[in-house]
Amino acid sequence: MKQLWIDCDPGHDDALALLTSIAHPEQLSILGVSTIGGNQTLEKVTKNAQNVLAFVNAEIPLVKGEEGPLVKPLSTAAEAHGDSGMDGPYFGENTYPLVKESFLHYMYKTISAASEKVILVCLGPLTNIALMLKTFPDIREKIEYISLMGGGITHGNITPLAEFNIYVDPEAAQIVFRSGLPIVMSGLDVTEKAEITVEEIQRLKGKGKVSNLAYELLSFYNHSGRQFGFVNSPIHDLCAVAYILQPDMFEGAPHTVEVITDDGLARGLTFADKRTNVTMVKNTFVLDEVNREAFVQLLIQSLEILDNK
Ligand code: BDR
Ligand code: CA
């Protein structure tokens, strides 16, 4: 049994990653979920997380994290995720509880008390995680590795060079990449290959309560993705969870990854130092290939499991 902490900014793809991880209680124990201002404001992404967790009657502690980045103001991704941050489905009211304690103390306390090392799953800007690593450096001993969606070795999306999650808070990302903890990076190199086709999205319609929720999420997300040139929909964040469940569906290589924090065109760029004559620590396993069919199958089956609960 693997123990996880999930930090996220739902977000259509965050929601699908959450649902998939919840569908496998025999493999994954989710100790807690924290939210971070990213795709939308903290208030909105927290509401979205409550909606997703309530929809499947989850009983996972949910704690609200930081409103925005360490240094610069928050820039959101409303053009991709809509005004709510997760446009598409209608959720009624719910009273999914929020942990009242500060997220830093709650996360630290929970991870410290875990019976085994914990995998941190990071699906948004890395602000919460950087703060935890700085405030409680001893937490490192309780972290097995970080599976994150962020960055891209060959290109960006929010700018030509930077991917959104890293671009929003590069200072936090730099702290995480320099933390000495092992990182598995699902960057754009792999996540843009982890796409679901329009036809596959259509097949989810009316199939079951949770599959249909995914259909509604993906219909909006597919439509908004057209403006960025996508015909099919890359489910970026799901890669970070799929890797934990089925690492064999991915390929990658270890690299020394750094983050550019300078202002200017390269802000938020992640790069892999590919020199072979240096002894730098290869801090990151960079994923760059995925078996797309197996990836989509994992999603479809996970939704079916939740449909039948
Ligand atoms: C990342 O940015 C967000 O919009 C998505 O949720 C994903 O985490 C992709 O660049
Ligand atoms: Ca996200």
Side-chain angles (χ1 to χ4, degrees):
M1 174 72 82
K2 296 187 169 89
Q3 307 199 36
L4 311 186
W5 181 281
I6 302 179
D7 188 67
C8 59
D9 62 337
H12 297 78
D13 51 340
D14 302 74
L16 296 170
L18 278 173
L19 291 171
T20 301
S21 56
I22 291 168
H24 298 279
E26 72 298 341
Q27 285 185 71
L28 307 178
S29 161
I30 307 168
L31 304 178
V33 173
S34 48
T35 52
I36 176 69
N39 281 327
Q40 259 299 355
T41 61
L42 180 64
E43 288 305 316
K44 290 183 179 180
V45 300
T46 304
K47 184 79 214 152
N48 296 340
Q50 287 176 296
N51 284 337
V52 172
L53 296 175
F55 194 86
V56 291
N57 300 313
E59 292 180 355
I60 302 166
L62 173 65
V63 62
K64 210 191 246 189
E66 283 291 295
E67 287 193 11
L70 296 181
V71 179
K72 303 259 177 171
L74 174 65
S75 49
T76 61
E79 55 301 327
H81 298 276
D83 182 57
S84 71
M86 212 173 74
D87 276 10
Y90 169 76
F91 295 94
E93 286 304 308
N94 73 76
T95 54
Y96 197 88
L98 288 174
V99 172
K100 300 251 170 5
E101 268 174 72
S102 96
F103 83 91
L104 264 187
H105 285 99
Y106 187 77
M107 206 192 293
Y108 175 66
K109 188 176 77 177
T110 306
I111 293 173
S112 303
S115 55
E116 284 169 27
K117 285 193 174 190
V118 172
I119 302 171
L120 287 184
V121 182
C122 304
L123 310 177
L126 290 161
T127 321
N128 290 340
I129 307 304
L131 281 171
M132 186 178 65
L133 293 173
K134 279 288 177 195
T135 314
F136 301 111
D138 59 305
I139 198 70
R140 278 155 230 260
E141 286 149 37
K142 286 303 299 267
I143 297 170
E144 189 178 334
Y145 68 94
I146 297 175
S147 180
L148 65 83
M149 190 284 134
I153 300 304
T154 54
H155 62 289
N157 56 7
I158 189 76
T159 75
L161 300 173
E163 180 279 331
F164 177 78
N165 288 342
I166 305 295
Y167 178 79
V168 171
D169 198 345
E171 285 79 11
Q174 189 174 70
I175 290 170
V176 172
F177 276 91
R178 289 182 177 176
S179 67
L181 288 167
I183 294 172
V184 177
M185 174 175 152
S186 296
L188 297 173
D189 318 285
V190 69
T191 66
E192 288 184 350
K193 296 172 183 166
E195 54 177 26
I196 185 165
T197 66
V198 174
E199 199 211 346
E200 287 161 344
I201 294 171
Q202 281 299 328
R203 277 194 245 134
L204 296 169
K205 187 176 183 181
K207 218 179 129 189
K209 190 177 153 212
V210 185
S211 294
N212 196 63
L213 172 67
Y215 164 76
E216 291 177 353
L217 287 166
L218 285 164
S219 295
F220 178 92
Y221 184 62
N222 180 266
H223 185 75
S224 72
R226 302 281 168 134
Q227 64 190 299
F228 310 113
F230 292 109
V231 174
N232 299 321
S233 296
I235 316 179
H236 306 282
D237 290 340
L238 183 54
C239 291
V241 168
Y243 176 81
I244 299 167
L245 285 166
Q246 292 181 25
D248 291 350
M249 74 166 77
F250 293 93
E251 287 173 31
H255 286 295
T256 306
V257 174
E258 263 288 356
V259 182
I260 303 285
T261 56
D262 303 359
D263 285 333
L265 188 60
R267 183 167 169 79
L269 167 80
T270 46
F271 71 93
D273 191 334
K274 293 187 176 166
R275 288 175 292 174
T276 50
N277 60 339
V278 288
T279 52
M280 287 181 298
V281 178
K282 296 195 185 323
N283 58 347
T284 306
F285 191 71
V286 179
L287 303 181
D288 59 4
E289 289 295 339
V290 61
N291 177 336
R292 194 200 74 81
E293 282 75 25
F295 176 81
V296 171
Q297 205 48 36
L298 173 67
L299 174 66
I300 291 169
Q301 283 171 353
S302 301
L303 296 168
E304 276 171 7
I305 292 170
L306 296 174
D307 284 339
N308 295 325
K309 276 206 168 153

